[in-house]
Amino acid sequence: MLRIIKLRQKLAAHDIQGILITSSPNIFYLSGFTGTNAMLFITQYNNYLLTDFRYVEQAKHEAPDFELVRADKDVLREISKLAEGCTTIGLEEQVISLAQYRELEKSLSAKVFKNASFILQEMRQVKDEREIEILKQAIKITDQAFDLILPALKPGVREEEISLKLEYSLRKLGASGKSFDYIVASGQRSALPHGVATAKKIETGDLVTLDFGAKYQWYCSDFTRTVFMGKPDAKHQEIYDIVLRAQLTALEAIKPGLTGREIDAMARDVIIRAGYGEYFGHGLGHSLGLEIHEQPSLNTREEKVLQPGMVITVEPGIYLPGWGGIRIEDVVWVTNSGVEVLTQAPKQFIIIN
Ligand code: GLY
Ligand code: MN
Ligand code: MN
């Protein structure tokens, strides 16, 4: 209920009388409901959860603070009844489809619609103690899965076999699944920042980037290491060291009060000075929680200020087409005084012979 109280304060501050919540992570965050079909409608006085027959019992159990409205067919008509006393209605602009919006305009023709996505975004960016505990466990599972996968990295093994083994380990360790498609990018493919696993076989002389995350109690972790098969040459080691230095620079600098742009610049500067600036084309990191990518980010445009309780990735990389790429990604928790690095996996260049 604390979240509903906070939400109501924000609705009042923005002159919104009712908010329609349509995205699954926000529905879960506010109500605890985990089914795939529901909407929430929340006013200063009432919390409604609208769902169809399939989820009625589940909703009663998972979302006891909500008044259940069964809506098998015309959910928007039901909402228009619930919204009678409201003049301004908040919508999640980022997730509502054009079709849904057109329907809403028809059913709620006398209302003013306002974008309210930012309200939930703001609420979710600072994690509470329980969320931190869950995220720590999600991250621990990822660390353990990395340990378990190293012996499976051998010449002749397909990237897809590695992703299958990662899936098995994550689930065996308590995760419900993955938080995004497995990135297993070997050889020249490691220059693809999001090179999901293919039928390519890992070979001696390959860089192999593994980027994966666990979904645990609905929360996501995110993790990357690049390892080497065989004997790296001086350039592999050089690039690895630059990426690691960039990451350590950011990890040491992160503290509340700095903007995402300032942190990004510190890590980026290390890579630029080493002469590889144009090969680090993505942001330094992103928050995560119920979704793999949340606000705020660490990138060249992010003006939002870091606050205690945020959980964010730090993932510099250098990608050289035709040669390969190296990325190192940890998750950190912004504390009152600085940062706690939650990822525990080793960070030295792992060489597999
Ligand atoms: N694997 C997604 C990311 O690191 O952002
Ligand atoms: Mn990431
Ligand atoms: Mn990642």
Side-chain angles (χ1 to χ4, degrees):
M1 274 310 270
L2 191 60
R3 290 176 181 170
I4 302 287
I5 293 167
K6 274 196 194 155
L7 174 63
R8 289 200 169 118
Q9 287 165 352
K10 287 177 182 281
L11 293 180
H14 291 95
D15 201 19
I16 295 171
Q17 283 92 43
I19 185 167
L20 180 64
I21 305 284
T22 48
S23 79
S24 302
N26 285 342
I27 289 170
F28 175 74
Y29 183 77
L30 292 168
S31 73
F33 179 72
T34 63
T36 56
N37 180 43
M39 289 189 189
L40 304 181
F41 188 69
I42 300 169
T43 68
Q44 285 301 331
Y45 310 104
N46 298 95
N47 318 318
Y48 300 106
L49 187 154
L50 300 97
T51 191
D52 67 77
F53 169 77
R54 296 170 301 166
Y55 291 114
V56 167
E57 286 306 312
Q58 184 176 335
K60 277 187 207 162
H61 176 70
E62 290 181 337
D65 294 331
F66 279 69
E67 195 173 318
L68 190 64
V69 178
R70 180 172 155 186
D72 290 339
K73 285 197 294 276
D74 199 350
V75 64
L76 294 180
R77 221 187 68 193
E78 293 298 330
I79 286 166
S80 70
K81 283 193 249 165
L82 303 175
E84 256 165 25
C86 307
T87 46
T88 301
I89 294 184
L91 301 177
E92 296 164 286
E93 184 179 81
Q94 315 289 340
V95 289
I96 211 151
S97 70
L98 184 58
Q100 278 177 317
Y101 185 75
R102 286 193 171 135
E103 277 296 309
L104 277 167
E105 276 189 319
K106 256 194 272 163
S107 331
L108 298 160
S109 56
K111 312 293 181 192
V112 176
F113 296 118
K114 249 191 188 177
N115 177 33
S117 281
F118 68 94
I119 294 180
L120 266 296
Q121 249 171 32
E122 273 174 23
M123 286 177 69
R124 280 173 45 192
Q125 66 190 10
V126 172
K127 273 67 183 177
D128 64 26
E129 265 176 44
R130 188 173 145 64
E131 290 179 292
I132 298 286
E133 285 316 307
I134 295 172
L135 280 162
K136 280 183 177 171
Q137 187 57 29
I139 290 161
K140 192 169 165 191
I141 288 172
T142 322
D143 278 338
Q144 290 172 335
F146 178 61
D147 253 4
L148 292 173
I149 202 68
L150 289 175
L153 293 171
K154 291 190 186 124
V157 175
R158 281 181 298 118
E159 293 170 352
E160 284 161 344
E161 288 177 72
I162 299 301
S163 67
L164 179 63
K165 287 200 157 83
L166 284 170
E167 175 83 20
Y168 181 82
S169 292
L170 292 180
R171 293 172 74 161
K172 185 86 181 156
L173 290 162
S176 61
K178 60 186 186 215
S179 49
F180 54 90
D181 273 350
Y182 297 94
I183 292 171
V184 182
S186 62
Q188 291 189 12
R189 293 192 72 251
S190 58
L192 307 174
H194 271 195
V196 295
T198 66
K200 177 189 172 300
K201 288 182 176 155
I202 293 170
E203 293 167 59
T204 301
D206 277 359
L207 288 160
V208 184
T209 293
L210 303 165
D211 181 351
F212 60 96
K215 201 127 202 208
Y216 176 73
Q217 294 189 12
W218 308 99
Y219 282 77
C220 300
S221 60
D222 196 0
F223 169 89
T224 308
R225 291 291 183 269
T226 301
V227 303
F228 194 82
M229 306 298 299
K231 196 169 155 24
D233 63 23
K235 184 161 178 178
H236 295 120
Q237 189 68 52
E238 177 209 343
I239 305 273
Y240 195 93
D241 289 345
I242 297 164
V243 173
L244 182 56
R245 235 178 331 118
Q247 203 217 26
L248 294 175
T249 301
L251 295 181
E252 273 167 35
I254 292 177
K255 61 175 186 210
L258 294 175
T259 64
R261 187 173 58 75
E262 287 168 323
I263 305 288
D264 180 278
M266 287 182 228
R268 195 168 299 280
D269 198 46
V270 172
I271 294 176
I272 292 171
R273 279 169 193 267
Y276 293 99
E278 66 182 294
Y279 303 105
F280 173 29
H282 57 72
L284 180 66
H286 53 89
S287 296
L288 77 181
L290 289 171
E291 288 170 282
I292 185 67
H293 294 128
E294 297 191 357
Q295 302 290 330
S297 297
L298 305 176
N299 63 37
T300 54
R301 304 166 307 281
E302 183 61 270
E303 294 298 343
K304 290 199 192 90
V305 166
L306 295 187
Q307 298 171 45
M310 289 180 170
V311 178
I312 201 155
T313 71
V314 181
E315 49 179 306
I318 295 177
Y319 312 92
L320 304 175
W323 180 81
I326 292 175
R327 176 167 67 253
I328 306 171
E329 175 176 32
D330 286 347
V331 179
V332 306
W333 170 30
V334 182
T335 60
N336 289 327
S337 54
V339 77
E340 187 176 317
V341 181
L342 300 179
T343 305
Q344 299 288 318
K347 272 203 285 230
Q348 80 276 11
F349 197 15
I350 294 177
I351 290 156
I352 297 173
N353 283 301

